[in-house]
Structure formats: structure tokens, C-alpha cells
Amino acid sequence: MDSFILCGMQFGDEGKGTFVDYLAYEEKVDAIVRYNGGSQAAHTVVTPEGTLHKFSQLGSGMFLEKCHTYLTQNMVINLENLLVELEVFSQKNKIPIPELIQRIHIHEECFVVTPYHKLINKLRELSKGENRRGSVGTGVSEVKYLLNEPKVFPYEQPLGLQVKDIIDPYSNYPMIGKLERLQEYVKKFYEEHEEAIWQNVPEKLKEELKMQCQELLGMQTSSRLAIWYVTQLKQAPQETNLGRCIYTTYEQTLRKTCSKAIYEGSQGLLLDATYGLKPNTTFLDTTNHFALDISYYRDNIKKVGIVKAFTSRHGMGVFPTESEELSQKISDANQEETYWNGKVRFGWFDAVLVRYAQTINQVDELYLSSLDKLTGIENLQVCNEYLYQGTVNGNFRKLFNYYIENGQIVITGIKRKSEELGSYLANCIPRYTLVKGWKKDISKITQKEKLPKKCIEYLSLLETLTHLPITLISVGPTRNNKITM
């Protein structure tokens, strides 16, 4: 089977959705495999006719009529949100929900976001005050946190609920018991941190959050949740029953029915639980490694890294190339600011961090989005090294490639991941290569030969500094705004 593995190489928001949509149509793909992340995703796709959809759990190639979505066991799914997305997508495309359900496949080992996860996610964030991690409040990261951090609960088994628990609610450890343990954990956390939580709640969120606490931490909540889950996966009418979507192995479904697949990643490498710039990272795997695990040696694979023509980041966290100048010149109507995800910030292209991402993802080529947004900027800057102004110790030497210039430390690359990487980079000043921009509108161009010379020079510089070929660029929101290089 031919496979394309797409992964973000920056802080997310690189344009994964629009490239998945393009590739699905260009290659006549029949399967989109969501191999990481969860319902927090909002992969924006705009069709040539102007229909916009932010893909959360459905694969971003679903506008293609015969394309299916596979949610792997590395996904954290939200069943309630999935039903809402199905309804919204159905209305936009005039496709009956039963037909869409026939195109969805959910692995039985997927972990499920419950209302308890969403609530504890928000409570934990608020309890930290100014030391917030920067979670978007959907509960997806919290699912992984409770599974991978045994120190946070005194139980024999991790706190979590899987799809197979709902399919077989009376298994060795009944579903109702797992939900009760989650409720118990949230209630205990709330009682221990109540003062800190309410001290940090913005007024506009306080009433909403108090209602959620009252509702979810009361009696019989676990039983009601259990009934709802069983209803959706087992007792709903057959044509709208998500239980018919469940699969157990890829050989059982994907490899029997599909000839081409796109493995669609979520978020970006720099937010990864292991390799990201801590402390403001997710608890999820945002590498392409799981996609490789389930496709290697069996598929004809092309590994693609997705980057923007500049860099952007939501909310808090280290951002070496952040630029107030660029933020005043670039806007993105699809990036909404909320209390939980914060404001979107913009900065110049950072070749050092893309090279670092490449040491982990090992992609074959890059797709580059949002090139049109740089039109009209007279001088463009690209970071190829940092000037470090902090303390040097033994760990510093293990982490970075660098040289000394006039007594100052110039970092040219990152050797390996570290819990301290974010704090080191907070003491770095980017050093830029300056290039001239272009004035011509490129949003209607469809051939690389018609791109302005300065635009081609900019792309060539990025290829040189990242050591990767850029094979596809996006100059607008739809699949028609893509140019093969």
C-alpha cells in the first residue's frame, strides 16, 4: 500500500489539514489514518467552493467522497464531540450521517476523553496560577497524564476508559468502576486545591466552571455517563450506531480495503511530550513514530514534514524568533483566541528548530504553507543560529552544536532532547539571515515558473538551511492554491 506520513515540524498550526485535503484528491487516497493527538485538533480545510471545516477527529481528506477515517489506538477520542462533528460535516456536505458512519473506523483500544478529564484539565491549569502549562482545556492531554504518571493516583490500574470497556461494560473491570475512580480522583483534587483554583478563575469562567463541578462531582453522575456511552456504541439505531465502527487490527480493515493512505499527524514536534520545548508542551506523542510503527516494512512510504513559511505559536511558552514586527503584518482569522489556548503569536522561520525536529522525525521532504502571507514584507529574516547568553555547564555541551565568536557562544544546532531545552532556549537571541521580500500577489499563481524571483530565492534559502527539499507549497487556503516545486 502507498502511504504518506504527514507530521508538523514546528509548534502546530502548520497547515496539515489543507495538505491532507490536497494530497487526498491528487493521489485518490481512500484512507486517512489519524495516528496521534485527539479531539483538540482543528485542521482547517477550505474547499474551492468555499466550504470551510475544521477537522477535529475526522480525517482532513473526508471531502473526498470515498475516503475513510481510521482513528488509531494512539488517538485520544471524544465520542460526544465526534457525534457533533459528524452532524456539522453532514449538514455542510448534504451527506447523511449513516453514510459518514460507514466511513469511520475506531480502534477498540482508543482511550476516551470523559467529562471528568475535561474538568480536571481545567482545574489543574487554574490551580497553577501563573505557572500554567498552557493546555487548551479539552481533556485530551489529561487522559495521557493520568495513564503515564502513576504517582498521581494510588490505584492498581491507570485511570482511563477505553472504547473496548464501553463495548463490553461488564468486563473484568467494569466501565462504571473506571468512571467512579475518575470521579473520585477529580473530587479529591478539587478539595485539595479549591482555594488556589477559585483564586485564579477569570470572572467570566467562574459561573460555568462552578456548574460543571456541581454537576460532575455529584451523585449518580458516573452511572448516567455509563448509560450514555453504552447507548451511543451499542443501543443507538443501527444506522447511527458508532459501535459498528469498531475495529481491532489494521489487517482486518485498512489493508483489506484501501490502496493509498495518508497518516495525518496532530500538533507539532516542538510540543511533543518527550522532545518538545518544556515546560509548555502537551502530554501527547506528536512525532511520526507511531505512524512508522504501524506502516513500516509493509508500505511504500513517503515521510513529509509540514512547516509554515514563518513560525507561529499559540499561548505561552518559549518562542525564540517571535517578532512583534511580523505579528503586526500577519493575521490568521482561523486562529481564535480563547482563555485556554491563548493568543496566536508570530515569528520568523527558525531553521535551527526545524533541523532539530528533523533529527527526530527523519522526513524525506517538506511541504510549506502560508507563503502568500509574506507578500509585501520588504525584508524577510530567517534564523540559522542563536547567540546564547546564559550559563554553560556540562549538559549544555551535550545538547548543542556551537562555536565561540568574540567570546560569545553561537549555537548552530541541537544534538538531543532535554527537560532543560526550553530554559536554555529562553536565553538565546536569534541571529538572522536577511533577504529581500516580494511585492507581487502570489495567491493566484499555480506554476512555480511564475513565482517572483525573490520568492524562489527565499524558498531556496530555506532548503539550504533545513537541508531538506521543499516539494509542495501553499499560496492560499484551498487545494487549488498548491504549487508543486
Side-chain angles (χ1 to χ4, degrees):
M1 184 169 70
D2 291 333
S3 296
F4 303 86
I5 297 178
L6 274 59
C7 58
M9 303 284 275
Q10 297 166 316
F11 293 101
D13 299 326
E14 299 99 342
K16 292 178 286 292
T18 189
F19 285 122
V20 169
D21 175 73
Y22 166 83
L23 205 55
Y25 276 83
E26 187 73 13
E27 297 288 338
K28 302 297 185 288
V29 166
D30 42 20
I32 307 297
V33 183
R34 298 295 295 266
Y35 66 85
N36 63 11
S39 57
Q40 88 296 332
H43 293 179
T44 303
V45 174
V46 182
T47 69
E49 297 74 32
T51 302
L52 182 150
H53 185 76
K54 294 188 177 183
F55 286 92
S56 173
Q57 295 173 95
L58 297 180
S60 298
M62 288 288 282
F63 278 114
L64 188 61
E65 185 177 348
K66 295 183 179 180
C67 195
H68 288 231
T69 291
Y70 290 80
L71 305 182
T72 69
Q73 66 266 44
N74 202 37
M75 280 276 291
V76 176
I77 66 171
N78 186 314
L79 292 171
E80 184 179 5
N81 288 7
L82 179 57
L83 291 170
V84 172
E85 184 175 8
L86 282 168
E87 184 176 350
V88 171
F89 194 72
S90 171
Q91 292 173 354
K92 288 178 179 178
N93 296 278
K94 311 303 179 187
I95 303 173
I97 289 179
E99 289 185 20
L100 287 174
I101 286 179
Q102 290 180 350
R103 294 162 55 192
I104 300 170
H105 311 273
I106 306 172
H107 199 285
E108 67 170 3
E109 293 182 2
C110 282
F111 278 91
V112 177
V113 175
T114 71
Y116 298 129
H117 291 103
K118 294 175 70 174
L119 178 59
I120 186 63
N121 189 177
K122 294 175 181 178
L123 296 179
R124 195 186 302 281
E125 279 287 279
L126 291 169
S127 71
K128 294 181 178 179
E130 295 181 357
N131 296 317
R132 281 181 57 198
R133 180 171 56 89
S135 171
V136 296
T138 61
V140 174
S141 248
E142 194 68 37
V143 172
K144 292 291 187 179
Y145 179 77
L146 294 181
L147 290 172
N148 296 326
E149 296 290 338
K151 65 183 179 181
V152 303
F153 52 85
Y155 303 108
E156 294 179 1
Q157 295 181 348
L159 289 173
L161 183 71
Q162 289 177 285
V163 168
K164 63 183 180 182
D165 297 323
I166 304 172
I167 295 298
D168 185 9
Y170 306 108
S171 58
N172 292 336
Y173 204 101
M175 172 177 60
I176 185 66
K178 294 190 174 186
L179 289 171
E180 287 174 345
R181 288 166 61 207
L182 279 166
Q183 184 191 45
E184 177 187 341
Y185 174 81
V186 179
K187 184 181 292 188
K188 182 179 180 183
F189 182 92
Y190 175 70
E191 291 171 351
E192 292 177 351
H193 299 85
E194 184 175 2
E195 184 177 349
I197 289 168
W198 296 122
Q199 182 178 348
N200 295 301
V201 175
E203 283 299 322
K204 62 180 180 180
L205 291 178
K206 185 174 292 187
E207 184 176 347
E208 173 190 343
L209 199 57
K210 282 190 174 182
M211 288 180 61
Q212 290 176 2
C213 289
Q214 184 177 358
E215 178 184 353
L216 291 173
L217 302 183
M219 298 291 289
Q220 304 300 319
T221 308
S222 300
S223 299
R224 291 197 299 271
L225 278 174
I227 291 170
W228 187 87
Y229 285 130
V230 171
T231 299
Q232 298 305 322
L233 262 67
K234 296 191 70 176
Q235 298 173 356
Q238 185 176 5
E239 64 272 14
T240 59
N241 192 324
L242 290 177
R244 53 199 294 227
C245 302
I246 310 305
Y247 71 98
T248 56
T249 67
Y250 296 99
E251 284 71 17
Q252 177 191 24
T253 51
L254 178 62
R255 300 188 183 284
K256 278 189 177 180
T257 59
C258 302
S259 59
K260 288 187 179 182
I262 297 174
Y263 290 78
E264 179 179 1
S266 179
Q267 301 176 294
L269 186 282
L270 302 178
L271 298 176
D272 180 68
T274 301
Y275 302 101
L277 307 187
K278 297 181 186 306
N280 305 105
T281 62
T282 182
F283 293 128
L284 305 174
D285 168 21
T286 68
T287 71
N288 60 5
H289 295 172
F290 186 75
L292 293 169
D293 287 344
I294 60 178
S295 63
Y296 248 157
Y297 307 118
R298 294 176 287 186
D299 295 359
N300 177 27
I301 301 168
K302 180 181 287 188
K303 296 177 290 181
V304 181
I306 312 296
V307 295
K308 268 183 175 173
F310 44 95
T311 312
S312 65
R313 178 169 193 176
H314 268 293
M316 57 196 70
V318 63
F319 188 176
T321 63
E322 182 176 6
S323 165
E324 184 63 33
E325 174 194 356
L326 195 61
S327 295
Q328 292 175 357
K329 296 178 180 179
I330 290 180
S331 63
D332 190 340
N334 291 318
Q335 304 299 333
E336 301 171 358
E337 179 181 358
T338 71
Y339 173 79
W340 299 109
N341 66 7
K343 181 181 179 180
V344 64
R345 299 181 283 157
F346 298 101
W348 301 107
F349 190 92
D350 191 330
V352 179
L353 287 182
V354 172
R355 291 198 299 268
Y356 168 63
Q358 171 62 355
T359 65
I360 298 152
N361 283 329
Q362 293 293 301
V363 300
D364 304 313
E365 58 197 75
L366 296 177
Y367 291 176
L368 182 136
S369 68
S370 303
L371 187 63
D372 54 304
K373 292 185 179 296
L374 293 181
T375 298
I377 299 178
E378 183 177 358
N379 295 307
L380 303 176
Q381 301 184 73
V382 181
C383 173
N384 190 42
E385 56 191 22
Y386 299 129
L387 191 62
Y388 179 67
Q389 297 187 315
T391 303
V392 175
N393 57 30
N395 199 35
F396 178 90
R397 294 178 174 85
K398 294 177 183 177
L399 279 173
F400 298 105
N401 293 314
Y402 66 94
Y403 62 89
I404 307 297
E405 180 183 275
N406 298 325
Q408 295 182 308
I409 300 170
V410 181
I411 295 174
T412 59
I414 302 172
K415 295 179 181 179
R416 49 178 288 189
K417 63 98 176 176
S418 168
E419 293 284 332
E420 303 170 274
L421 186 56
S423 59
Y424 275 113
L425 293 182
N427 289 306
C428 287
I429 297 175
R431 301 219 306 189
Y432 293 109
T433 299
L434 183 68
V435 292
K436 290 294 182 181
W438 58 92
K439 296 181 179 180
K440 180 181 178 179
D441 179 15
I442 63 173
S443 62
K444 302 295 189 296
I445 293 177
T446 58
Q447 298 174 315
K448 64 178 182 180
E449 292 80 12
K450 295 186 179 180
L451 288 169
K453 180 181 177 182
K454 295 297 182 184
C455 185
I456 294 293
E457 290 175 354
Y458 181 71
L459 294 172
S460 297
L461 176 63
L462 298 189
E463 289 183 317
T464 299
L465 298 185
T466 61
H467 313 308
L468 285 165
I470 297 172
T471 58
L472 184 68
I473 64 171
S474 179
V475 295
T478 80
R479 68 185 76 106
N480 292 344
N481 301 123
K482 306 295 179 278
I483 304 174
T484 303
M485 301 302 290

